Amino acid sequence: MRYTPYVDPGAPSLWLDESPASQLPALQPGAHAVDAVVIGLGITGATAALELAEAGLSVLALDAHGLGWGASARSGGFLLVEHAIEYPARRARFGRERMQTVIEMARSSHELIEQRFARAAEHKRCGSLILPMAEDESEQRTLAEAASLLQEDGVPCSQGAGHEGLDGFAPGLSIPEDGEVHPGRLLAAVGAEAGRAGAKLRQGLVADVDTKQRVVTTADATISYGIAIVAVNAWTRRLLPHVDIRPQRAQMLATRPLGPMRKLGPVCYGCWGYDYFRQRDDGRMLIGGRRHLHRESESTDASVPTAAVQDDLEAYLARHLRAFGPFEIEARWSGIMGFSPDELPFWEALSDGAGTASTHVLGGMTGHGMGLGAVCGQTIARSCHRELSAVEQRRTQLLHADRLRS
Ligand SMILES: Cc1cc2nc3c(=O)[nH]c(=O)nc-3n(C[C@H](O)[C@H](O)[C@H](O)COP(=O)(O)OP(=O)(O)OC[C@H]3O[C@@H](n4cnc5c(N)ncnc54)[C@H](O)[C@@H]3O)c2cc1C
């Protein structure tokens, strides 16, 4: 057995502190045998576990820590139809047809969350506001180009938008269909639903996946499986070293409530999408980003907030959101994202000793897994138990790891 030490995910986020149901009972030692094992319970794995359990399979779903303790419940909780400022570059690179599939996937993911978990996850279609920096003409031009391409491709959006109290930005782009969730409560709700459907969700650190024998190993248990879904995203290479997913840290902070009311309606992005902020209904302002100023130190899977990035986040509040202050910082946290080589998620099916594709690796969610992870997990889980529809087949064609080899 190969021992793969796991990097501690760090202190919980504000979201995790508010979601005690994200904690899991420990896996019993000994031998287990199931139809399906899911490894990693972020948004991707939790949705896959739900799909498989609802299809009637016996499911054991494991996470090293708890539901959402990786990136998912440390995220901003923005649900976006697409990363708008990057749309011109992504459309040029992948083509219009494939970007239509990405948009369809993001919309389906958002609808799945809205239809099944809206209340528990505090979901809102609050819209997003993408703001270029006032001094960056190149960013302003790119956003204008993004707006016309998105409109051409069926994403309603309007240019020239701004918001009272925000400083240092040029007029931005408003996308009304985008939304927000409480990611900790979302994960707890998906897990609870999977549990009701019969999945056993357990805390357990997987040390090895023997894809040929179809056996998963922890320190004191073995699990024989029919199919496995490996959804450990940033930590994939620790289990399957050949899979090219690279860890990238991202950091956030939350202020104390800034008053009795939420004054900032949409979720916001600035500076080429690197910076993001939102206000909760309880008045707390949450902000993340500034990673692009610290590229070397943030290329890591050590989940600890650093003074350098946190100071920059505070400076950003003072510079661009001053009118909402004064600010008192209540929580700071970091999370680890998994970047794919081309920044779209991918899926790879690994064969067992009999040549059957029984282990499915799904990851590389990059910076937008809250918007895409649910549909990715659901679709790949579906492909394990039934024929896919034409729309679902387009998704698996897009996700297939072959695209990275061509
Ligand atoms: C600060 C921050 C802000 C972000 N903001 C947004 C946002 O607003 N919108 C958006 O769309 N995306 C955002 N993202 C990105 C998004 O969070 C991720 O893309 C998404 O959560 C990935 O989901 P996942 O389920 O694939 O992986 P994860 O949520 O990382 O889940 C992987 C799970 O695998 C578990 N695991 C790892 N190794 C093992 C092992 N050996 N055994 C058992 N379990 C294991 C981990 O504990 C973890 O829970 C943000 C990320 C960060 C860090």
Side-chain angles (χ1 to χ4, degrees):
M1 184 183 89
R2 190 177 61 239
Y3 176 63
T4 51
Y6 175 72
V7 173
D8 192 295
S13 62
L14 177 73
W15 308 119
L16 286 165
D17 280 341
E18 293 177 345
S19 315
S22 67
Q23 288 171 6
L24 298 170
L27 176 69
Q28 287 294 310
H32 305 257
V34 286
D35 295 333
V37 64
V38 177
I39 309 170
L41 291 173
I43 187 66
T44 309
T47 316
L50 172 62
E51 170 66 29
L52 294 168
E54 289 186 336
L57 279 73
S58 62
V59 178
L60 181 55
L62 297 174
D63 195 279
H65 294 276
L67 281 152
W69 278 66
S72 294
R74 295 164 188 281
S75 73
F78 296 16
L79 302 181
L80 305 179
V81 63
E82 174 50 13
H83 191 13
I85 189 81
E86 289 191 3
Y87 197 64
R90 278 154 70 90
R91 195 185 192 250
R93 182 173 189 181
F94 301 113
R96 186 178 187 195
E97 200 180 322
R98 284 205 277 183
M99 288 316 294
Q100 288 283 307
T101 302
V102 174
I103 289 168
E104 180 280 315
M105 288 172 70
R107 284 188 169 141
S108 296
S109 223
H110 197 152
E111 276 160 23
L112 185 146
I113 289 169
E114 185 172 32
Q115 283 164 10
R116 297 199 60 171
F117 305 107
R119 183 188 287 260
E122 298 171 17
H123 170 268
K124 270 201 180 68
R125 290 259 178 194
C126 54
S128 67
L129 179 57
I130 320 298
L131 294 159
M133 308 313 290
E135 68 280 5
D136 192 338
E137 285 177 16
S138 162
E139 188 183 9
Q140 292 162 33
R141 276 195 306 275
T142 304
L143 194 63
E145 191 192 344
S148 56
L149 291 175
L150 284 165
Q151 277 162 353
E152 200 176 299
D153 291 352
V155 178
C157 54
S158 53
Q159 281 186 269
H163 200 288
E164 206 181 323
L166 299 177
D167 279 335
F169 301 105
L173 180 69
S174 159
I175 306 182
E177 71 184 89
D178 287 341
E180 64 178 27
V181 284
H182 185 306
R185 293 189 178 143
L186 170 64
L187 265 293
V190 179
E193 199 67 1
R196 275 192 285 278
K200 287 199 172 99
L201 276 63
R202 297 289 181 265
Q203 186 270 323
L205 169 62
V206 171
D208 190 50
V209 184
D210 184 336
T211 57
K212 294 292 174 209
Q213 299 296 321
R214 286 189 276 113
V215 175
V216 161
T217 311
T218 70
D220 54 11
T222 56
I223 303 139
S224 305
Y225 62 85
I227 55 167
I229 297 200
V230 182
V232 297
N233 204 31
W235 295 276
T236 308
R237 286 203 296 183
R238 289 175 178 269
L239 285 178
L240 300 163
H242 77 279
V243 181
D244 191 3
I245 297 177
R246 285 161 205 272
Q248 290 286 331
R249 182 167 60 203
Q251 305 192 28
M252 293 194 73
L253 63 75
T255 70
R256 287 196 191 286
L258 304 176
M261 274 177 55
R262 172 174 177 163
K263 293 190 187 134
L264 184 62
V267 296
C268 298
Y269 267 104
C271 191
W272 296 95
Y274 280 111
D275 303 316
Y276 39 96
F277 48 92
R278 63 181 272 194
Q279 192 175 22
R280 297 199 337 178
D281 288 353
D282 65 8
R284 287 181 171 83
M285 189 70 80
L286 272 61
I287 174 170
R290 304 274 86 186
R291 187 171 58 84
H292 58 297
L293 304 178
H294 304 270
R295 284 185 196 276
E296 208 171 311
S297 58
E298 296 306 289
S299 295
T300 175
D301 65 2
S303 188
V304 279
T306 61
V309 174
Q310 293 288 324
D311 286 351
D312 278 349
L313 290 173
E314 283 191 54
Y316 191 94
L317 281 177
R319 164 77 185 86
H320 297 293
L321 287 92
R322 190 178 46 238
F324 293 88
F327 303 108
E328 211 184 317
I329 310 306
E330 185 178 68
R332 302 176 192 275
W333 66 90
S334 65
I336 309 299
M337 305 179 286
F339 274 42
S340 74
D342 65 3
E343 304 199 353
L344 282 180
F346 66 91
W347 153 68
E348 185 169 355
L350 306 174
S351 298
D352 57 25
T356 306
S358 43
T359 303
H360 301 267
V361 187
L362 185 53
M365 297 291 150
T366 312
H368 296 279
M370 293 307 290
L372 287 170
V375 80
C376 291
Q378 184 191 59
T379 305
I380 297 307
R382 254 179 206 172
S383 75
C384 297
H385 72 81
R386 70 154 167 77
E387 287 288 310
L388 295 181
S389 68
V391 170
E392 290 165 339
Q393 282 177 30
R394 276 198 289 280
R395 296 177 192 161
T396 56
Q397 278 157 15
L398 177 96
L399 290 172
H400 203 294
D402 276 355
R403 88 164 188 261
L404 300 170
R405 294 187 264 271
S406 58

